[in-house]
Amino acid sequence: MTYEEFADTRLAPLLRYAVMLTGDPHQAQDLVQETMVRVQLNWRRVARADLPERYVRRMLTNQYVDWRRGSWMRRVLLRGEPDEAVPEPADHAQSAVDRDQIWSWLSRLPRRQRATLVLRYYEDLPDAEIADILGCAVGTVRSSISRALATLRAEYVEACS
């Protein structure tokens, strides 16, 4: 497989994944672009990997966790496009408020915790693959997910009180 073939087939899923990580489509594009430049520069090593897609996803995740540019330090709310498969609730305003609130809570999580949640619940990966992508132990993945969910639960309870 060439770099061009890889990019043609995997760019869109990588971009969707990056949007879930960053919460902002523009930052996600920057993240994917920078990662894909690195992938192209190191294509021989990437192509030799058992699973090149997993290798690139790990590069993207590490880039997200480590990226220190000023634009990444600000928190952004994402107003996602409606999913046509999910019926619209009767109160559109409340739906937008709920979506913004969830993105706000997610944006306050530490980057690694948010990455573990996205890998688990959006990418639907098992703990072992998440650990491989993040370069940590399976137990670390489980505790990170547990802490993130506990934080989100606490935010939810506080908001409902």
Side-chain angles (χ1 to χ4, degrees):
M1 173 184 297
T2 67
Y3 170 78
E4 291 78 15
E5 292 169 338
F6 178 83
D8 285 344
T9 60
R10 300 311 309 156
L11 197 57
L14 288 171
L15 185 57
R16 285 191 302 271
Y17 172 60
V19 168
M20 293 304 296
L21 285 175
T22 64
D24 179 80
H26 302 291
Q27 289 181 344
Q29 289 172 351
D30 291 344
L31 177 63
V32 170
Q33 180 178 0
E34 187 164 326
T35 302
M36 291 305 287
V37 167
R38 290 178 181 198
V39 169
Q40 185 177 28
L41 292 173
N42 297 298
W43 180 246
R44 287 184 184 160
R45 184 171 6 132
V46 173
R48 284 192 310 258
D50 292 336
L51 298 168
E53 181 181 353
R54 185 184 298 174
Y55 190 95
V56 172
R57 193 181 323 194
R58 182 175 186 176
M59 290 175 68
L60 191 141
T61 304
N62 288 337
Q63 185 70 18
Y64 164 73
V65 170
D66 294 337
W67 212 3
R68 300 291 182 212
R69 277 191 358 201
S71 64
W72 283 91
M73 297 313 285
R74 67 189 150 94
R75 303 293 183 178
V76 180
L77 294 178
L78 175 68
R79 287 175 173 65
E81 296 296 321
D83 183 356
E84 294 176 11
V86 176
E88 285 289 323
D91 186 357
H92 298 292
Q94 186 60 46
S95 174
V97 168
D98 292 344
R99 184 174 48 248
D100 287 348
Q101 183 62 60
I102 291 168
W103 277 110
S104 175
W105 293 336
L106 286 171
S107 72
R108 291 190 291 242
L109 289 174
R111 291 175 187 264
R112 287 184 70 87
Q113 285 183 11
R114 183 172 178 168
T116 57
L117 288 181
V118 170
L119 288 166
R120 165 61 61 74
Y121 297 107
Y122 183 74
E123 294 290 323
D124 198 28
L125 296 179
D127 293 343
E129 284 186 46
I130 296 170
D132 184 48
I133 290 169
L134 295 176
C136 63
V138 172
T140 304
V141 168
R142 290 181 183 146
S143 67
S144 182
I145 289 171
S146 177
R147 286 187 186 118
L149 292 176
T151 300
L152 293 176
R153 270 189 227 102
E155 294 280 349
Y156 177 75
V157 167
E158 184 178 313
C160 291
S161 323

